Amino acid sequence: MMRFKIITYWLTVLPILIFGQHYVSYSKNAEEVSVKLSDGYLVLRPMNGNAVRIQFIKEIKPEENEFVFVNENSSSDFKLEENASSLKLKTKNYAVLFNKKTAQLSFLNGNGKVLLSEAVNSRKLIESTVSSQPCYIAEQSFITDKDEQLLGLGQFQDGHYNLKNISRKLIHVNSQIALPFLYSSKGYGILWNQFGLTWYNPANQSVPLEKEAVTNGVEREVTGTSGTVKVSQQQALHKGKILIEKYGEYTFMLDLGNMDNRHFLTIDGKPVIDQSNLWLPPAVSTKVFLTKGEHYFQVVCKATNTPSLQYKLAEDITTFRSPHSKSLDYILFAGNNADEVISSYREITGKVPMLPKWAFGYWQCRERYTSAEHLVKTVEEFRKRNLPVDVIVQDWQYWGKYGWGVPKFDEQNYPEPEKFIEKLHQLHSRFSVSVWENLDKKSEVAKDYNGLYIPDSPWIDIFNPKTQKIHWNALNKNLFQNGVDSWWMDATEPENDALVGKNTFLGIGEFYRLTYPFFVSKAVYEGQRATNPDKRVVILTKSAFPGQQRFGTINWSGDIGWDWDAYRRQIVAGLNYSISGMPYWTTDIGGFFRPGSSQYSDPKYHDILMRWFQWGVFSPIFRMHGYQTETEPWKYGEKVESNMRGLMNLRYQLLPYIYSQSWEVSKNNSTIMRPMIMDFHEDKKAIEQSYQYMFGKSILVAPVIKPNIENWEVYLPKGYSWYDFYTNKKNNGGKTVLADASHNKIPLFIKSGSIIPVGEVMQYASEKSNEELTIKVYAGNDGNFTLYEDEGDNYNYEKGKYTLIPFKWNDKVRKLLIDKRVGTYTGQNNHRIFNLEIIGINKEVITRKVSYEGNELTIQF
């Protein structure tokens, strides 16, 4: 079958490669330009001031379910110019150039500089079928610069930061979120608008692999430069060889077919992929330089899996290929920087609503709390020990006698749910609960879902609007009406890539393979807002799709391991996820799968746990979790508890800064967890830092990613001075410094020109009014900051019920302007005390205390 598909593919592709597409004619209306080609229609549709949609259409009707876009109104403000060789669609901020001879598209910025070009003859719609329905294999390649950095594509566990020449299989599985959005260091973004499987930089050449049997009860050994790997009876060893005719860098994609617990590939005896965990995604890739001649390969994986190993020569070409498509469809976003590109993306796919203030506090989670009493006593212990906490989470199996996945508390362990949740509320804690979409069909609750499951599947057909309403009704009746504050929507991938081969309300599962989590989030968000419009929706969920950010969602990185390698991978995964347009993300601090009972007393584990915890403070959402683990801070001894308390206090002191950044996310489409490319795209060394990032636009965070560290190298970008957060020592930018990373410190540097509000230590986000704040001003550049405040947990901000206090620092004249307060809300602080700290003037910290009544103040230093 595979050989037949390959032959069919090349029979279709070869005529295009040889003869190319031919321009025939064009037509234009107020919304789009349609170019007739010899084999279809190419449609150019401006979507907003910075985005244009490109569709290549043949006989099959294009996708009608345009649920990703909320603002698809075409920008009518465009012109079309024609000459003998080209068509040019022009707007104020970009232009699209169509070459009549080659049918190639090029995209130019407002200054006429080429941002991106399609590779000639790379636009393909190849006839195919899926589940006996006609479809296309859609493919498009783009020419990329040699030194171009490409980031995004969601959350992957392969450890790659720059995705240039990396191959990826874009599907959702546990710990992997596929978002077909790519950002370039040249200042453009691409949303590959497909709902199913996509191959990014597909490798078409195969390494033939032969399986070597493993005798039951006997282990075999594979030797590499990192040591000996034992292959157990549950695993298989596969060997292969190829002849390389050209020296160069090659991309390899190892696809095991299904989830596995081992990614292991050696080339010529040297391990080039080596990762273990109880859950790992099916596919992983790497880049390797190979000489001419024969090369030998070994793969270790589960004995039940059938691995394939593909490779290609790395080139300055980036390709998307989707095997189950109805048209070729992508959106090109142009901008001067990443913020402009992401802003344009969100204007089209949906803005991000405000999360409640408590969501930015600490989340206490474990697998799992076993009773209502267990939950209440845990929060009481947090309060007793002065350990800040805002959210406690109930993981699975609270449903007990009601059946698997049924969203209802078993009264044996959770009697009178509304009463124990009220106790949690009295302790000033919010309550989040795990929900699954594969509830027991035999249960009483599931009767309302009759006929609303995907056929031959345990998963409800959430694509059906009726299912969405029924699902919310069940959650509302059994959970929300009892006081549940937040939703943990688990396994929304859905688990094990379960749509393949299924029929859904919208159509063939392969067509909508990536969109299940979108509709789960939609059902809960719209259901809760209709039920109680005064309570902000908070959804922690394991998977995502473009546009989902408009439903109050937070994603986390799934069931990951606990070692240093796993930890490093999460940092890279989080940064790429954030630049994919999704601002709220978190991870299981300390790892999900942990080292058992030794974790509570092992100093080596405490080392990585504390480094992870430090990083968690500077993640968008601050959350602990762990499999079969008591994750409460006091379980790890007095020293760890004390260190965690100090870090939690720091997080809560920074809440005025963090909450104001969240307003920037909602109002101005900003991003909190910012890869260096977002703020320092002209500093080549800065953008190469894959483990440093900006937390908001002022704080540079450099997580420690190795054991037993006292000092840590940090690169400080050009163009600014940088202040050590702990000592206020000033450093020049454009160099690497050695930062103190001892005594529970994560290296932090503040950019000159920053203004950071710092509050008091609190036990929960709303404990104190912030009537008195410390305002830290870091001299060296002009700066500004807007302090945002509102009622904390309702949607009145959408009606203008909030206040803004602008702070502006003029560095040349050493003057701080606290501008007039804008807006009002119930419970606001009308009389404020600001403790001003001006840092960096004559190597001193100048302090001043001022009273602020809402009118403009100017303070000269």
Side-chain angles (χ1 to χ4, degrees), residues 207-210 238-242 266 295-299:
V207 177
L209 296 174
E210 293 187 5
H238 301 256
K239 292 184 176 181
K241 67 177 181 179
I242 57 173
T266 72
H295 294 273
Y296 299 87
F297 301 81
Q298 294 177 320
V299 172

Side-chain angles (χ1 to χ4, degrees), residues 322-510:
S322 297
H324 310 125
S325 303
K326 298 180 181 180
S327 67
L328 191 155
D329 192 347
Y330 67 90
I331 295 93
L332 190 288
F333 300 91
N336 293 313
N337 52 52
D339 280 311
E340 288 189 9
V341 167
I342 291 172
S343 180
S344 179
Y345 166 82
R346 291 208 198 125
E347 291 295 334
I348 290 171
T349 62
K351 294 176 75 72
V352 179
M354 288 288 290
L355 297 181
K357 192 173 184 180
W358 54 258
F360 298 101
Y362 176 70
W363 294 51
Q364 174 56 33
C365 188
R366 64 184 273 186
E367 198 277 321
R368 61 186 175 85
Y369 293 105
T370 56
S371 68
E373 182 182 24
H374 195 185
L375 288 159
V376 172
K377 286 189 172 181
T378 298
V379 177
E380 288 176 340
E381 192 66 20
F382 267 85
R383 298 292 177 236
K384 178 182 175 182
R385 293 173 178 267
N386 289 319
L387 290 163
V389 65
D390 263 283
V391 188
I392 191 163
V393 184
Q394 174 63 57
D395 204 347
W396 62 350
Q397 299 191 40
Y398 58 85
W399 42 73
K401 66 184 179 185
Y402 290 112
W404 166 262
V406 175
K408 189 172 182 179
F409 290 106
D410 185 337
E411 292 82 1
Q412 180 176 345
N413 292 316
Y414 302 88
E416 300 180 294
E418 72 282 358
K419 291 187 178 180
F420 89 76
I421 295 174
E422 178 56 29
K423 287 182 180 178
L424 293 174
H425 290 164
Q426 290 171 358
L427 289 165
H428 305 286
S429 172
R430 310 290 173 159
F431 182 52
S432 182
V433 64
S434 171
V435 175
W436 297 56
E437 277 64 52
N438 59 343
L439 59 161
D440 188 346
K441 294 180 181 180
K442 299 177 183 178
S443 67
E444 187 68 24
V445 172
K447 289 182 179 179
D448 291 338
Y449 295 82
N450 186 35
L452 298 176
Y453 282 79
I454 295 172
D456 302 315
S457 168
W459 300 93
I460 61 174
D461 193 345
I462 200 68
F463 300 106
N464 189 331
K466 183 179 179 180
T467 310
Q468 295 169 27
K469 292 179 180 179
I470 292 295
H471 195 41
W472 169 251
N473 289 340
L475 302 188
N476 182 37
K477 178 182 177 181
N478 299 311
L479 300 175
F480 191 63
Q481 294 300 323
N482 289 323
V484 166
D485 301 291
S486 167
W487 308 100
W488 183 3
M489 311 307 293
D490 207 340
T492 52
E493 304 93 289
E495 197 171 54
N496 298 321
D497 200 16
L499 296 184
V500 176
K502 306 299 181 185
N503 286 303
T504 75
F505 175 80
L506 292 180
I508 298 296
E510 280 83 348

Side-chain angles (χ1 to χ4, degrees), residues 16 19-25 35-44 54-56 84-87 96-107 117-124 140-142 328 330:
I16 298 174
F19 302 109
Q21 292 179 322
H22 299 295
Y23 168 72
V24 178
S25 63
V35 181
K36 185 177 181 181
L37 301 175
S38 53
D39 58 345
Y41 287 88
L42 185 64
V43 180
L44 286 58
I54 307 299
Q55 281 185 291
F56 181 49
S85 61
S86 67
L87 300 170
V96 184
L97 186 67
F98 173 80
N99 186 311
K100 290 182 178 179
K101 182 178 180 180
T102 64
Q104 176 195 38
L105 289 178
S106 296
F107 303 91
S117 294
E118 295 179 339
V120 175
N121 293 336
S122 67
R123 184 187 305 122
K124 304 183 183 78
Q140 181 67 65
S141 297
F142 303 92
L328 191 155
Y330 67 90

Side-chain angles (χ1 to χ4, degrees), residues 124 188 265 281 405 445 516 833:
K124 304 183 183 78
Y188 67 82
L265 168 67
V445 172
Y516 196 90
I833 300 295

